[in-house]
Amino acid sequence: MPEAREEKVTEWLKRFYYLLILALALYLVHLLRDVLVPFVLGGLLAYALTPAARFLNKRGLSWKLSVVIVFLALLLFFALLFFLIIPEALSQLKALASAAPRYIEDFVGKILEAARALDARYPELHLAEAVEDFLRNFLGNFENYLQTITKNILNLVSLFMSVLFLGFVVTPFALYYFMVDAAKIRGALVRILPRERHREYVEILRDVDRVVGNFIRGRLILSLFVGSTATVGLLAMGIEFPLVIGIIAGIADVIPYLGPIVGAIPALLFASTKSLWHVVGVVALFSGINFVEGVVVTPRVMGKETGLHPVTVLFALLVGGKLFGALGVIAAIPVAGVLKGILLHQKKTKTKVTEHGNTL
């Protein structure tokens, strides 16, 4: 009995020690969150792009040459982003902020016109008066709220740009060496763990890689699909500010299926000032994007392991941003994926034990 009690105390002390180490590590990360952003960003980009380098490597290229080709392609993409897309998006966003009151006024005018038409047929409803009171109260704060949102978006873009420029040297440097030494890093992570449990930890890493890898790479592709399709579709219909709406839809699609919904709201506002057919076109466009994303693209890109639930993603982003700022937003989804990968491994282990017990 004393030996059992001593083992139990030792186990509790070990757990307390691990919790203490975890708490100290999180506190240190909180203190160094601004310094760590470029390294974490470089690590995530390396994680997302390693399969592309592996694909080239399997076609006969050396690993370093494969990494260099992927690295240069990424630099070209960011050059186009910074010099062509972002300046145009900021220009459209500023124009949107100044033109928003006019669009809101036109939208309200159409609603009141429809309400007055109904009042003419059903005067006992007093619908126009009720709608006008509601809109007056609602729009009293909406324009200020919209201007505040636009200002915050501009500040957020400015912060994002400053983070990228601050890490302009560090992030590419970290990205390159994370990719070149990917196998060594993975091997080092396994070697620091107890030897007798290497096989189990390798299986955990595979489960984590499947969840996190599928989600990060899948969401990047899906966000690009939603954003580019929305931009091209709105541009073809002549809806104002297509690039801004497309970017908003693409970023919002980090939370699964939210992008088309968020993008449709401002697009419908602008379409309503044109004609009913434009409204129908916008509804058809974003409904089609949502359908193709959910039925065609997502199963092909994400596979059967869809990764993380939308509510989990939203919760992780909010908590990460609240606790660690920009670092928390960047690292929130990978951390949530790691936790889910560990839970999946535990579930598989329990299933194997149960099946083994049933066969005895």
Side-chain angles (χ1 to χ4, degrees), residues 120-195:
R121 298 186 65 178
Y122 309 102
E124 67 277 2
L125 293 178
H126 301 291
L127 190 61
E129 184 180 348
V131 169
E132 190 171 0
D133 289 340
F134 169 78
L135 290 174
R136 188 183 297 112
N137 293 329
F138 175 74
L139 295 175
N141 296 319
F142 183 75
E143 289 186 22
N144 293 331
Y145 180 64
L146 185 64
Q147 289 176 358
T148 303
I149 289 177
T150 305
K151 183 179 178 180
N152 287 336
I153 290 174
L154 288 171
N155 290 338
L156 182 62
V157 171
S158 176
L159 174 63
F160 179 69
M161 295 281 288
S162 65
V163 167
L164 286 181
F165 279 119
L166 284 174
F168 187 73
V169 176
V170 178
T171 299
F173 182 83
L175 167 63
Y176 177 78
Y177 283 102
F178 280 148
M179 290 186 70
V180 167
D181 297 327
K184 293 180 181 178
I185 293 171
R186 185 174 296 224
L189 286 174
V190 174
R191 282 194 297 273
I192 64 175
L193 299 169
R195 184 179 295 275

Side-chain angles (χ1 to χ4, degrees), residues 25-206:
L26 289 174
Y27 180 67
L28 186 62
V29 169
H30 178 73
L31 292 178
L32 300 175
R33 58 190 182 277
D34 295 333
V35 177
L36 293 174
V37 167
F39 292 97
V40 173
L41 192 58
L44 286 179
L45 287 173
Y47 188 81
L49 295 172
T50 295
R54 194 178 295 129
F55 173 82
L56 294 175
N57 182 239
K58 288 180 180 178
R59 296 300 182 275
L61 300 178
S62 69
W63 179 249
K64 282 194 175 181
L65 180 59
S66 301
V67 169
V68 168
I69 291 173
V70 173
F71 183 77
L72 292 177
L74 183 68
L75 288 183
L76 178 61
F77 171 77
F78 275 112
L80 292 173
L81 188 69
F82 285 129
F83 294 110
L84 294 179
I85 297 177
I86 288 181
E88 176 62 24
L90 290 176
S91 175
Q92 287 191 18
L93 190 61
K94 290 178 181 177
L96 171 61
S98 61
R102 176 172 58 84
Y103 282 103
I104 293 172
E105 185 178 344
D106 291 344
F107 180 71
V108 170
K110 288 183 180 296
I111 293 178
L112 288 176
E113 185 179 340
R116 291 188 186 106
L118 284 173
D119 257 0
R121 298 186 65 178
Y122 309 102
E124 67 277 2
L125 293 178
H126 301 291
L127 190 61
E129 184 180 348
V131 169
E132 190 171 0
D133 289 340
F134 169 78
L135 290 174
R136 188 183 297 112
N137 293 329
F138 175 74
L139 295 175
N141 296 319
F142 183 75
E143 289 186 22
N144 293 331
Y145 180 64
L146 185 64
Q147 289 176 358
T148 303
I149 289 177
T150 305
K151 183 179 178 180
N152 287 336
I153 290 174
L154 288 171
N155 290 338
L156 182 62
V157 171
S158 176
L159 174 63
F160 179 69
M161 295 281 288
S162 65
V163 167
L164 286 181
F165 279 119
L166 284 174
F168 187 73
V169 176
V170 178
T171 299
F173 182 83
L175 167 63
Y176 177 78
Y177 283 102
F178 280 148
M179 290 186 70
V180 167
D181 297 327
K184 293 180 181 178
I185 293 171
R186 185 174 296 224
L189 286 174
V190 174
R191 282 194 297 273
I192 64 175
L193 299 169
R195 184 179 295 275
E196 64 274 10
R197 303 187 68 179
H198 272 189
R199 185 173 180 179
E200 179 185 356
Y201 286 123
V202 168
E203 289 180 1
I204 291 175
L205 285 175
R206 285 174 181 167

